[in-house]
Amino acid sequence: MRGRYRSYGAVLGVLAAVIVAAPAVSAETADDVRVAVHDVTLTVDGEQATGRVYEPYRETPGDIDPRDLIVAVHGHAGSAADFPEYMGSIVRQTMAPLLTMDQRSAASQWRTGEWNVWAGWQDTVAATQWYRGAHPTIGRTVLWGWSQGGLTSGLAAAYAPPGTYDYWVDTFGQASDFVSWLEADLAGPGLRPEIERDAGGCTPVACAAAYAARSPSLLAGRIAVRRAILLHGTSDPLVPYSSSVEMRAALMATGKPVTMYTIASGRDLGGNVVPGEHGLGPVFFESGCAVERLLLDTEPVGASDYLIDIAHGVNTAPPAPPNTKCAS
């Protein structure tokens, strides 16, 4: 997912890890926290996997020992470069570095922006393990994916060693590779061939096991996080609301703690009341607020579900963190 209407838009070892300095993106807040952005290159499964990391600092990059980590997973047609200003603002608010991968690279057989959910989860977990290993002060890790990244991050949560992730925030993500294949035409004619390629070059009928292995709703029993938080809009034209309902049911059936945000309507950046759709809008911004609340200890992790429908005067969500844009 990039822009308003783009679609979704055993862990392999990391053989090498290199941070290459990129131009720093800096901004000051009341406590003078800035953000440095660095390119990341890892070797995963014998291929180059690229990404970036946003790190908070005050005087010089690296002068803050991170206590928490955010791992963001982009959607279809996206990359690690998506939404840099917004990612930086979350880092400043939470004082947590944010790590995000391209889900392989321009030099890989799995090109960034395509339906690379298998390579994507491997890159995500490998990068998480590498960064946490280099920063032993990190405690909590929040895994946050949107659209295709919701499915990919769900696979990362399912296949990662227990303890890798503490919370999973899934924003209008697909719950199943089977349903993603069936509904691929909602995103255009090019998506279904990509889904088939990722699954081994075949359809769900021919390769049911491969599709099952790529379906978080069928792997819910393996998702070992303290709580999953699902957010979805009821007017989503690309990934129907029923996808998160399916994921919620799967998590509940396996006894996993889950919270679901239903956004029927909310406010856009201009303050206009708009439907809960796919892309940069109320659902996405509420998910960013959920990430912030988790790390600021203001997300009620014992709660069940929330409804946001600003058009009808309904908003049961927790209060917005300071200086943030949420669905309301």
Side-chain angles (χ1 to χ4, degrees), residues 248-259:
R248 177 181 180 274
L251 289 164
M252 292 187 69
T254 54
K256 305 296 183 178
V258 57
T259 296

Side-chain angles (χ1 to χ4, degrees), residues 4-287:
R4 186 174 174 82
Y5 294 109
R6 285 288 187 93
S7 65
Y8 339 91
V11 177
L12 298 173
V14 178
L15 304 181
V18 180
I19 287 189
V20 181
V25 177
S26 299
E28 295 190 15
T29 61
D31 56 353
D32 298 328
V33 175
R34 307 181 182 194
V35 178
V37 184
H38 303 286
D39 291 333
V40 172
T41 301
L42 308 177
T43 299
V44 183
D45 198 21
E47 290 195 307
Q48 184 181 80
T50 57
R52 62 169 51 180
V53 61
Y54 297 75
E55 295 180 314
Y57 72 98
R58 286 195 171 89
E59 297 297 331
T60 59
D63 65 5
I64 295 176
D65 290 329
R67 294 174 299 174
D68 302 301
L69 173 65
I70 304 165
V71 179
V73 187
H74 69 75
H76 189 257
S79 74
D82 288 353
F83 320 126
E85 295 83 5
Y86 188 57
M87 298 297 122
S89 71
I90 292 175
V91 171
R92 286 191 295 273
Q93 287 284 102
T94 62
M95 295 290 289
L98 186 149
L99 176 65
T100 178
M101 298 300 288
D102 285 316
Q103 298 167 50
R104 221 48 68 99
S105 68
S108 166
Q109 63 174 320
W110 305 106
R111 296 299 181 92
T112 298
E114 297 180 347
W115 186 272
N116 304 331
V117 299
W118 196 257
W121 81 255
Q122 292 174 330
D123 293 359
T124 299
V125 173
T128 305
Q129 293 177 317
W130 159 71
Y131 196 83
R132 285 179 49 143
H135 299 84
T137 57
I138 291 174
R140 296 171 299 180
T141 299
V142 175
L143 178 63
W144 173 31
W146 51 89
S147 198
Q148 176 185 310
L151 185 148
T152 305
S153 60
L155 297 180
Y159 290 123
T164 303
Y165 301 109
D166 295 278
Y167 298 101
W168 173 38
V169 179
D170 175 10
T171 310
F172 43 65
Q174 294 94 337
S176 161
D177 212 36
F178 292 100
V179 177
S180 299
W181 183 88
L182 287 171
E183 297 175 345
D185 286 344
L186 295 175
L191 183 57
R192 185 169 288 126
E194 291 182 16
I195 296 174
E196 293 176 0
R197 177 177 182 262
D198 180 77
C202 48
T203 68
V205 175
C207 301
Y211 283 78
R214 290 162 172 77
S215 299
S217 61
L218 301 180
L219 303 168
R222 299 182 54 151
I223 296 177
V225 295
R226 298 185 197 177
R227 179 167 289 269
I229 298 177
L230 315 178
L231 303 98
H232 218 121
T234 57
S235 300
D236 195 323
L238 296 178
V239 182
Y241 174 73
S242 58
S243 180
S244 286
V245 173
E246 175 187 347
M247 192 69 238
R248 177 181 180 274
L251 289 164
M252 292 187 69
T254 54
K256 305 296 183 178
V258 57
T259 296
M260 184 163 172
Y261 285 76
T262 295
I263 294 92
S265 64
R267 295 190 184 276
D268 63 14
L269 286 176
N272 305 301
V273 177
V274 296
E277 297 181 329
H278 208 86
L280 280 176
V283 184
F284 186 73
F285 292 125
E286 189 65 44
S287 74

